Amino acid sequence: MTQLYTQQSFRRCEKAAKASLIWAILLVTVFWGLCAFLCTRVRTANAALLFRWVLGLSILPGWAAILILAFIYRPNRAEKRHIQSMLNEPWEEMEGVFYLEDSTFQIPRGIRVQKARLETAEEPVSLRLDARYAHLLPLGQPVKIRVIRQYITAYEVLP
């Protein structure tokens, strides 16, 4: 059975989240410290020039830190929490023919999810799949899957 969530992926997300947070904090701290240093060097003759430098050195790293937090730290933190919950909760197995639906959606402060459907012998089951793994599962083929809270966590193609 092919596992979609592993301890390695959890550690990778945890490491990426921690590193991006440290980079954002260091970026802001170093450049704002440089701004404070430049502010101590202001004289009447160089005030206009240093004002531009201090303005640029305070605004640009601040925006860079915001972008790092928004596009690297938060997605990795959300993925880490999702993987952690998928690794620690009990699962159930299902068999049927697998289909993906076109709709994807972003869970607020979470991962991007694609809806899926499993046509079982009894009735169709609506499931969720991390959108990053949508290309891995075979469409229209019989599969055995493991599910935790409607999320597909592992799959195996049946003969």
Side-chain angles (χ1 to χ4, degrees), residues 16-32 61-70 72-73:
K18 185 184 273 188
S20 62
L21 182 62
I22 289 171
W23 272 108
I25 291 170
L26 279 175
L27 183 70
V28 169
T29 304
V30 167
F31 280 95
W32 285 357
W63 275 104
I66 289 170
L67 293 174
I68 289 171
L69 292 175
I72 300 172
Y73 173 70

Side-chain angles (χ1 to χ4, degrees), residues 36-96:
F37 173 76
L38 289 177
C39 286
T40 64
R41 301 293 178 237
V42 174
R43 305 287 179 260
T44 306
N46 66 0
L49 177 65
L50 285 182
F51 173 74
R52 290 186 194 111
W53 275 99
V54 168
L55 193 63
L57 289 175
S58 62
I59 291 174
L60 293 178
W63 275 104
I66 289 170
L67 293 174
I68 289 171
L69 292 175
F71 294 112
I72 300 172
Y73 173 70
R74 281 189 182 166
N76 279 300
R77 184 186 63 180
E79 186 178 343
K80 178 188 83 154
R81 286 192 318 230
H82 177 71
I83 292 172
Q84 185 176 27
S85 70
M86 294 296 114
L87 292 174
N88 294 329
E89 294 186 20
W91 47 268
E92 62 178 291
E93 281 190 354
M94 299 179 180
E95 288 186 17

Side-chain angles (χ1 to χ4, degrees), residues 140-151:
Q141 293 185 18
V143 294
K144 181 193 296 187
I145 60 171
R146 287 188 183 158
V147 178
I148 297 174
R149 289 184 292 123
Q150 291 186 324
Y151 286 97

